[in-house]
Amino acid sequence: MDKFTKEERSNIMRAIKSKDTTEELMLAKALWHKGLRYRKNNKSVFGRPDITFKRYKIAIFVDGEFFHGYNWEERKFRIKSNQDYWIPKIERNIQRDKEVNEFLIQSGWIVIRFWGNFIKKNLKACVSVIEDEVVKAKIAFLK
């Protein structure tokens, strides 16, 4: 049973952003301060990654724990209301993430995915992973 009314829950869910989330902005700002220039939510790249370095074919996704199914096999049983909607929706999101990864990798892209909470707790490590990939891609690009 949901502790919110249907209208309250609807308003809460409507307020959740699909882009420019707190975690995305944290990561983007940190990359910008490191001198790394990128595009956000690039529609020309399959799957519309949150951050792209198109020249080097690097796609970065920031996945929210709820909508992308973090620890899904355990957490799906915690959904108490509207299970008939949420469980198939989140499982389809997980499947779509796999399809996007496969397509981009097949197309020669480097795909990096971070969970939102991981970014909050380990921002420097996330930036370091991306920096390393950009440096490797630059070297390969120049050859």
Side-chain angles (χ1 to χ4, degrees):
M1 186 72 192
D2 199 353
K3 63 182 176 180
F4 297 105
T5 67
K6 195 170 184 176
E7 290 169 358
E8 290 171 329
R9 177 60 66 193
S10 179
N11 288 334
I12 290 168
M13 297 309 287
R14 192 177 300 117
I16 296 172
K17 297 179 179 183
S18 64
K19 60 182 181 178
D20 292 335
T21 63
T22 303
E23 297 83 3
E24 285 177 38
L25 292 176
M26 283 174 61
L27 184 60
K29 286 178 182 179
L31 293 171
W32 196 266
H33 286 295
K34 287 281 190 174
L36 298 171
R37 301 301 180 243
Y38 51 81
R39 292 285 172 256
K40 288 173 34 181
N41 307 107
N42 192 337
K43 293 178 186 176
S44 70
V45 179
F46 182 73
R48 198 183 296 179
D50 298 308
I51 297 172
T52 54
F53 297 90
K54 196 169 181 181
R55 170 185 262 178
Y56 306 119
K57 289 188 144 186
I58 299 173
I60 301 155
F61 294 90
V62 178
D63 294 335
E65 283 75 8
F66 180 75
F67 288 99
H68 292 270
Y70 176 78
N71 201 10
W72 182 240
E73 289 309 312
E74 236 179 78
R75 293 183 76 189
K76 72 177 168 183
F77 300 109
R78 292 187 198 164
I79 297 174
K80 300 297 181 205
S81 62
N82 211 0
Q83 289 179 340
D84 294 339
Y85 173 77
W86 285 113
I87 291 175
K89 176 172 182 52
I90 293 169
E91 288 177 348
R92 177 62 188 126
N93 289 350
I94 292 168
Q95 182 61 36
R96 185 173 46 250
D97 290 345
K98 289 177 185 174
E99 291 167 5
V100 167
N101 288 354
E102 288 173 16
F103 180 87
L104 290 174
I105 290 167
Q106 292 285 323
S107 302
W109 284 75
I110 296 164
V111 178
I112 302 170
R113 285 190 178 269
F114 294 113
W115 292 110
N117 282 337
F118 187 80
I119 292 172
K120 284 181 184 175
K121 295 175 184 172
N122 305 288
L123 181 60
K124 287 183 182 180
C126 296
V127 171
S128 180
V129 167
I130 295 168
E131 270 185 309
D132 292 347
E133 289 299 331
V134 169
V135 167
K136 283 191 259 182
K138 279 184 181 179
I139 291 168
F141 185 77
L142 294 173
K143 286 185 179 180

